[in-house]
């Protein structure tokens, strides 16, 4: 019985990990592109930028962006973007964690030292305080504004 539970747990983890890519393609790629490069002047890249968000202390900020969206002017790699991103609070906590892990590890992105994969529990903790897209903008790490 112990082994069966272990196998089910591993299979569940693999299914979640595999779903990160499909979640990204379904929910994010139309703007940020399948390559993660975004659209210059319209939608910022995730490739090469997401690790900078994490390194700047923006782990919770990133969760809030996916949950509640983002509205306001930001700079990414020296280029200005001033649009609105919808939130995806309709996704489960596990789905949002999987999606964030996909972005954090795709296109040569990596987690900064000592940071681990996102968990559903982290997403659940951020979901408890609902925010507007403008409030999420205020959470953007200062070094990235």
């Amino acid at each position: 019985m112990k082994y069966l539970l272990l196998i089910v747990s591993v299979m569940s983890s693999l299914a979640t990990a595999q779903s990160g890519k499909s979640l990204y393609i379904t929910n994010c790629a139309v703007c940020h592109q399948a390559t993660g490069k975004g659209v210059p002047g319209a939608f910022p890249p995730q490739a090469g930028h997401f690790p900078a968000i994490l390194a700047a202390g923006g782990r919770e900020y990133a969760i809030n962006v996916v949950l509640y969206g983002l509205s306001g002017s930001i700079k990414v790699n020296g280029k200005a973007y001033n649009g609105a991103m919808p939130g995806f609070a309709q996704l489960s906590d596990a789905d949002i964690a999987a999606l964030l892990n996909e972005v954090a590890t795709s296109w040569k992105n990596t987690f900064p030292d000592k940071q681990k994969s996102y968990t559903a529990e982290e997403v659940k903790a951020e979901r408890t305080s609902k925010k507007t897209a403008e409030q999420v903008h205020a959470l953007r790490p200062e070094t990235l504004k």
Side-chain angles (χ1 to χ4, degrees):
M1 184 67 169
K2 268 172 107 172
Y3 292 114
L4 179 59
L5 290 175
L6 178 62
I7 290 170
V8 169
S9 176
V10 168
M11 296 295 279
S12 175
S13 294
L14 288 174
T16 299
Q18 291 172 351
S19 71
K21 184 170 188 154
S22 64
L23 287 162
Y24 178 84
I25 295 299
T26 301
N27 297 287
C28 311
V30 69
C31 297
H32 296 288
Q33 306 300 294
T35 61
K37 292 181 179 178
V39 176
F43 305 108
Q46 297 303 307
H49 178 63
F50 197 76
I53 292 171
L54 296 176
R59 189 173 177 93
E60 291 82 14
Y61 162 75
I63 295 170
N64 281 284
V65 169
V66 176
L67 276 171
Y68 305 116
L70 182 66
S71 181
S73 180
I74 62 171
K75 283 197 176 183
V76 176
N77 301 329
K79 294 185 172 111
Y81 295 87
N82 192 9
M85 179 182 143
F88 294 93
Q90 74 275 11
L91 297 176
S92 72
D93 297 339
D95 284 347
I96 290 175
L99 192 152
L100 287 164
N101 288 326
E102 176 67 22
V103 173
T105 59
S106 294
W107 320 294
K108 299 183 183 177
N109 285 350
T110 59
F111 280 103
D113 286 343
K114 299 182 182 176
Q115 285 199 31
K116 58 187 182 346
S117 297
Y118 282 94
T119 65
E121 291 77 23
E122 283 180 283
V123 176
K124 183 178 181 179
E126 291 301 319
R127 192 184 290 272
T128 61
S129 60
K130 300 206 182 308
K131 296 176 182 71
T132 66
E134 292 79 13
Q135 289 170 321
V136 173
H137 182 269
L139 299 174
R140 189 167 173 85
E142 285 298 319
T143 58
L144 300 176
K145 289 188 178 180

